[in-house]
Amino acid sequence: MTQLVTEQEQQEAVKALTDLISVPSFNQPAEDGAPFGRGIRNALDKMMEICKSLGFKTYEDPDGYYGYAEVGEGDKIFGVICHLDTVPAGDPKTWEHDPFKGTVVNDAVYGRGSQDDKGPGIAALFAVKALMDRGYQFNQRIRFIYGTDEEILWRGIAQYNKKESQIDSGISPDAEFPLIYAEKGLQQSYLVGPGTDQLKLSLKNAFNAVPDKAVYDGPKQDEVKAALDKHGFKYTSDDHSITVLGKSVHAMLAPEGTNAVLRLAIALNDVFDFKPLKFIGELFKEDATGSNVFGKVEDESGQLTMNISSLEINEKETRMQIDLRIPVTVDRDKLLKTLQEKVAPYDLKYVHFDYVAPLYVPKDSKLIQTLMDVYKEQAGDSSATPQISGGATFARTMNNCVAFGGMLPTTPDYMHQANEQWPLKDMFKAMEIYAQAIKRLCVD
Ligand SMILES: [Zn+2]
């Protein structure tokens, strides 16, 4: 197969990437027209300037939340979803060179954002430039969409989705090759019930982690210890408190952790007669796949996980915080209805907090077949398969969109780390993969 990207486009891409890295763009306090700080807005301005110079039509949100750049004609839009914000550099002493100078060191583009996500965004952009240089006409619009808040709350892309046209299909170059086609839905909620004056608990933790400690300093300490012993749960204690011990893991891996909050609740349920505690002690127990509540819930994207991370009980109310990771083909409404029915006998009510829809594009779709064919040919890896991720990429913010590259499986991972750098040979390989893929999807 003929190489589409020439050395000239490779060098232009390196130049653009070093320019973009030298505009620091980590989150900072909001300013007028710069909701995530002046640096990120400057990077957005810079990116629009680069796109314009290549012959793209550009649009920059006047409020500074997003921008996009487009080439081609037609009703349909093929999206390339990137982000311009980065994590901060961290301790400058851990870097061998200036993270924001934008340099080429030892045959790698060096600096914050070189891998995540300025580098892959530029690689895909100049891949399209290579197609333009060769005179190809596109059968749809190719739109590069730039988010500005990927590392924190995705508020930039949320504004895009509120105000702009949806894409018909697309890729997000913000992960690894070959591609990610499935990420579970993410539901965060509360279970809220009555209070009691029997006991007081204030076990507050983040939604997305399995808690490894749960402290109890209420009455009946000896009985609670005896209950913990009976169940074989580990704890430490002093004169006035008991600390139940667990093992912390990310909520997406909840079944592999040991939840200290659940263990304490199970023991307390043996000592106190209080309905909401029975939900954990008698129904949910310790099974973070939720099978005691829902039965087995599983598909090709894996099994359901349910993490109960916080438990607060006082005289006014009981409140639990739950994080559900829902397999991609499961009916969320039905699942949540089952949950409501199952918690009702324990005087608990379901309260919605936040939902992030799943990513799912069927493996036999034209998009995935084409991207996989191109990757296999270009990487010389005929055994590559589409991947499932437990995390969350920008791909899930758009219709019919998958995470595609830019890191090769052999690229050393520097994302969010000191000395972030992207070897030129990997960058050029990614450019060629993007050029071949977009040609196959958007030309002919
Ligand atoms: Zn990223």
Side-chain angles (χ1 to χ4, degrees), residues 110-186:
Y110 184 97
R112 179 56 87 220
S114 54
Q115 287 199 347
D116 181 15
D117 181 45
K118 291 175 174 175
I122 287 284
L125 183 72
F126 281 80
V128 172
K129 167 69 163 37
L131 300 176
M132 291 156 73
D133 287 349
R134 284 173 176 258
Y136 289 115
Q137 296 294 312
F138 302 112
N139 58 21
Q140 54 192 307
R141 287 181 278 163
I142 300 173
R143 179 179 284 190
F144 283 78
I145 300 171
Y146 297 101
T148 51
D149 181 40
E150 195 274 343
E151 300 294 356
I152 303 190
L153 283 172
W154 298 14
R155 288 162 290 189
I157 217 74
Q159 282 297 312
Y160 176 91
N161 277 332
K162 219 181 264 175
K163 294 185 184 166
E164 306 294 343
S165 310
Q166 291 299 302
I167 63 169
D168 295 279
S169 64
I171 58 174
S172 178
D174 191 23
E176 269 187 20
F177 289 115
L179 61 79
I180 298 166
Y181 77 102
E183 296 167 0
K184 290 177 197 170
L186 171 56

Side-chain angles (χ1 to χ4, degrees), residues 30 42 81 119-120 124 129-130 141 148 158 174 245-246 268 282 294 296 359-360 372 414 424 434:
N42 290 344
I81 322 303
K129 167 69 163 37
R141 287 181 278 163
T148 51
D174 191 23
L245 304 173
L268 292 174
E282 289 167 21
F294 302 102
K296 203 174 168 75
L359 163 63
Y360 181 57
M372 285 305 301
Y414 285 102
L424 290 174
Y434 288 132

Side-chain angles (χ1 to χ4, degrees), residues 326-399:
I326 306 171
V328 293
T329 59
V330 168
D331 182 337
R332 167 182 170 242
D333 292 340
K334 225 164 112 185
L335 187 89
L336 295 183
K337 205 163 160 262
T338 304
L339 182 59
Q340 286 166 25
E341 286 163 11
K342 294 281 187 167
V343 301
Y346 303 97
D347 292 346
L348 290 166
K349 270 204 189 78
Y350 172 88
V351 180
H352 171 84
F353 173 65
D354 190 32
Y355 175 62
V356 184
L359 163 63
Y360 181 57
V361 180
K363 279 193 279 191
D364 57 6
S365 61
K366 182 184 163 222
L367 177 67
I368 289 189
Q369 298 272 320
T370 308
L371 296 174
M372 285 305 301
D373 286 350
V374 168
Y375 174 75
K376 286 178 185 175
E377 286 163 21
Q378 290 295 323
D381 180 3
S382 57
S383 62
T385 51
Q387 302 293 303
I388 290 154
S389 163
T393 67
F394 253 7
R396 68 162 81 199
T397 62
M398 302 277 157
N399 290 330

Side-chain angles (χ1 to χ4, degrees), residues 297-308:
V297 180
E298 191 174 23
D299 67 15
E300 63 184 290
S301 67
Q303 55 190 351
L304 178 80
T305 63
M306 177 164 162
N307 183 40
I308 302 182

Side-chain angles (χ1 to χ4, degrees), residues 28-42 61-65:
Q28 286 181 310
E31 289 176 40
D32 203 24
F36 312 114
R38 182 48 54 190
I40 290 175
R41 180 64 198 256
N42 290 344
D61 171 41
D63 297 329
Y65 281 89

